[in-house]
């Protein structure tokens, strides 16, 4: 199985500042034939289902604010939330859909400092 | 805009079978553009992919569930279902159904989710 490891487990950021979440996969999730990284990022607020923010590692889902951005390739990925807003308090998960079984990171909790 | 809704019993006894159905509204489950999946989340924990199905009936399952899983599709009812046999307390979780888009010969991330159904395994 591809193990997805996120860091940190939690972080506290001041309003308007930047939050950076890292995700490392135990194997590459880059498919060389189409040069796509099979990596997504989700936001989950309490009592709600996950919401897709980013897919193909860096493509923002329709309707997602542009303060959310994804980067990285191969085995190392980053979700950046610039200009953190109060409504961004949530747990964030990375997800690889390259290999069976699909796997998720353990989650990173983002709070306001 | 498509919506997904899980339905099933909130309580299942140990060793019995957990059965959930996901109803798709606002579009056809028979679309060649999507796969349909099940994901679960134990209380206070992370996400685990259970399996996914295409409208044709082709499935991909998580081997960690050791063949306890059956995912099926009923195109006439615009539904897909999950059966998980021989449940234990470790199967207690919120169960989500979700959609992911076909991309080439594979699929993309989960872009639409149901609200989730809490299932508790207890006698």
């Amino acid at each position: 199985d591809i193990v997805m490891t996120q860091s940190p487990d939690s972080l506290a950021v001041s309003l308007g500042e930047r939050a950076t979440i890292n995700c490392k996969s135990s194997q590459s999730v880059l498919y060389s034939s189409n040069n796509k990284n099979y990596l997504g990022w989700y936001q989950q607020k309490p009592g709600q289902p996950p919401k897709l923010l980013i897919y193909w590692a860096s493509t923002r889902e329709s309707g997602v604010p542009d303060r959310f951005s994804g980067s990285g390739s191969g085995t190392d990925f980053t979700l950046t939330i610039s200009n953190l807003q109060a409504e961004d308090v949530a747990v964030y998960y990375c997800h690889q859909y390259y290999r069976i079984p699909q796997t998720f990171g353990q989650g990173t909790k983002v709070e306001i400092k | 805009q498509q919506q997904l809704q899980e339905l099933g019993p909130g309580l299942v006894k140990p060793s019995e079978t957990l059965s959930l159905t996901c109803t798709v509204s606002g579009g056809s489950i028979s679309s060649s553009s999507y796969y349909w999946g099940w994901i679960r989340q134990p209380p206070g924990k992370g996400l685990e992919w259970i399996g996914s199905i295409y409208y044709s009936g082709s499935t991909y399952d998580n081997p960690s569930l050791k063949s306890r899983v059956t995912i099926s599709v009923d195109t006439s009812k615009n539904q897909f279902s999950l059966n998980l046999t021989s449940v234990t307390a470790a199967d207690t979780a919120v169960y989500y159904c979700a959609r992911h888009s076909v991309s080439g010969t594979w699929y993309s991330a989960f872009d639409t989710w149901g609200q989730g159904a809490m299932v508790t395994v207890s006698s």
Side-chain angles (χ1 to χ4, degrees), chain A residues 1 36 38 40 42 44 47-52 54-56 61 93 95 97-102 104-106, chain B residues 39 41 45-49 52 60-64 96 100 103 105-111 113-116:
Chain A
D1 296 8
K36 285 184 175 180
Y38 285 58
Y42 302 84
Q44 187 177 32
Q48 296 185 19
K51 173 188 174 183
L52 179 64
I54 303 286
Y55 58 100
W56 303 131
E61 174 73 337
Y93 294 94
H95 164 223
Y97 43 95
Y98 184 57
R99 294 257 186 241
I100 299 295
Q102 300 183 41
F104 294 85
Q106 80 276 17
Chain B
I39 304 99
Q41 185 171 37
K45 295 189 178 180
L47 299 161
E48 180 182 29
W49 173 73
S52 295
Y60 299 97
D61 301 328
N62 191 329
S64 71
Y96 295 103
H100 45 160
S103 177
T105 58
W106 204 231
Y107 43 61
S108 183
F110 292 105
D111 59 17
W113 295 65
Q115 285 301 305

Side-chain angles (χ1 to χ4, degrees), chain A residues 14 24-25 33 35 37 40 56-57 63 67 78 82 93 97-98:
Chain A
S14 300
K24 188 174 184 65
S25 58
S33 296
N35 202 36
N37 288 282
W56 303 131
R67 62 179 182 274
T78 300
S82 58
Y93 294 94
Y97 43 95
Y98 184 57

